Amino acid sequence: MAEGYFVFTGRPNSGKSSLIKAITGINVAVGKQPGTTNRIEKYPLSKNLLLIDMPGYGVSLRLSKQGEEDTKDMILDFLKNKSNQIILALHVINTSTYLETETRLAKKGFIPLDIELVHYIKRDLNITCIVAANKIDKERSSIINENLEALKEGLGPTIPVYPVSAKTGDGIGLLKNDIRKRLIEHGYTNPFELVK
Ligand SMILES: Nc1nc2c(ncn2[C@@H]2O[C@H](COP(=O)(O)OP(=O)(O)O)[C@@H](O)[C@H]2O)c(=O)[nH]1
Ligand SMILES: [Mg+2]
């Protein structure tokens, strides 16, 4: 069986590393780490299955404009070149600031990056993509709901969206079950059994 990839994408600070930890138990580095390189990190999950932690996609305080563009290219190249081996992509969004981020960037003439990347993964590369709407603990529920509605509208009806909090554990069970089911369907049994 060919080596398969389970890929995590998302803006810097959306909570990718925290979710990897919450879902798989892998002890990845969490939080702001000035000076760390923008590498694509690979972790073995089970036989022939690798988890891929992408660097942040989009505006980063740690990087120059050129650095941001180089990182985006690196992510898009990886997704494109490995699309045949990518079993599942999980795109992580900071739900507490979603509309604020999109509106602020839209005013500066940027396209909504989260939506754009998810659609690229699903429509152009034909990769199964689900979305973790993370940090639902971080704002009042009225704001979270408003952001969730906007996010779902932007993504369209065919992308599953799981509201979660990597911090409180809210929603993680449902998301984890869905991921397990999809990986097992592709023959990756015990996907969260760690391999040394
Ligand atoms: N309140 C809250 N904070 C979170 C949540 N998930 C991640 N964080 C925090 O957000 C910051 C960025 O998380 P990290 O996982 O490193 O994001 P990454 O850059 O996407 O890998 C860290 O300070 C985390 O502790 C969440 O669900 N709720
Ligand atoms: Mg990270």
Side-chain angles (χ1 to χ4, degrees), residues 66-110:
Q66 188 58 50
E68 285 174 13
E69 286 309 313
D70 291 348
T71 303
K72 279 167 77 174
D73 287 345
M74 177 171 79
I75 292 168
L76 295 177
D77 284 349
F78 182 94
L79 292 169
K80 192 174 179 192
N81 293 334
K82 305 285 188 197
S83 60
N84 287 334
Q85 279 166 275
I86 301 176
I87 310 300
L88 177 64
L90 178 69
H91 184 72
V92 183
I93 290 177
N94 179 349
T95 318
S96 70
T97 57
Y98 173 69
L99 269 174
E100 190 191 311
T101 309
E102 297 287 84
T103 316
R104 180 164 45 83
L105 294 177
K107 279 189 189 134
K108 291 185 184 170
F110 290 98

Side-chain angles (χ1 to χ4, degrees), residues 7-186:
V7 177
F8 279 67
T9 57
R11 288 182 187 274
N13 233 30
S14 55
K16 292 178 296 300
S17 299
S18 302
L19 272 180
I20 290 172
K21 204 169 169 180
I23 292 166
T24 67
I26 296 174
N27 213 348
V28 292
V30 167
K32 295 197 184 83
Q33 303 165 289
T36 51
T37 51
N38 272 31
R39 285 182 39 195
I40 294 174
E41 303 287 352
K42 300 178 184 176
Y43 305 92
L45 266 182
S46 67
K47 196 165 183 298
N48 290 331
L49 183 63
L50 285 182
L51 184 149
I52 310 289
D53 186 11
M54 290 289 192
Y57 187 80
V59 179
S60 166
L61 296 174
R62 291 198 283 111
L63 295 175
S64 63
K65 276 277 154 282
Q66 188 58 50
E68 285 174 13
E69 286 309 313
D70 291 348
T71 303
K72 279 167 77 174
D73 287 345
M74 177 171 79
I75 292 168
L76 295 177
D77 284 349
F78 182 94
L79 292 169
K80 192 174 179 192
N81 293 334
K82 305 285 188 197
S83 60
N84 287 334
Q85 279 166 275
I86 301 176
I87 310 300
L88 177 64
L90 178 69
H91 184 72
V92 183
I93 290 177
N94 179 349
T95 318
S96 70
T97 57
Y98 173 69
L99 269 174
E100 190 191 311
T101 309
E102 297 287 84
T103 316
R104 180 164 45 83
L105 294 177
K107 279 189 189 134
K108 291 185 184 170
F110 290 98
I111 349 166
L113 277 189
D114 288 302
I115 306 292
E116 188 193 48
L117 181 60
V118 170
H119 285 169
Y120 175 71
I121 292 171
K122 178 160 199 288
R123 294 176 186 166
D124 296 311
L125 301 179
N126 212 12
I127 294 168
T128 306
C129 186
I130 62 179
V131 167
N134 191 32
K135 303 203 187 187
I136 56 168
D137 64 286
K138 241 193 148 179
E139 271 291 355
R140 297 202 306 275
S141 57
S142 58
I143 294 180
I144 293 296
N145 285 336
E146 197 185 346
N147 283 351
L148 271 175
E149 284 317 306
L151 174 60
K152 285 180 187 167
E153 196 186 317
L155 289 169
T158 60
I159 312 274
V161 177
Y162 287 91
V164 295
S165 166
K167 188 177 176 184
T168 66
D170 231 17
I172 297 292
L174 282 177
L175 173 62
K176 195 168 166 167
N177 284 347
D178 187 349
I179 294 167
R180 276 188 79 93
K181 191 189 79 198
R182 290 171 194 271
L183 294 176
I184 288 170
E185 268 169 17
H186 281 86

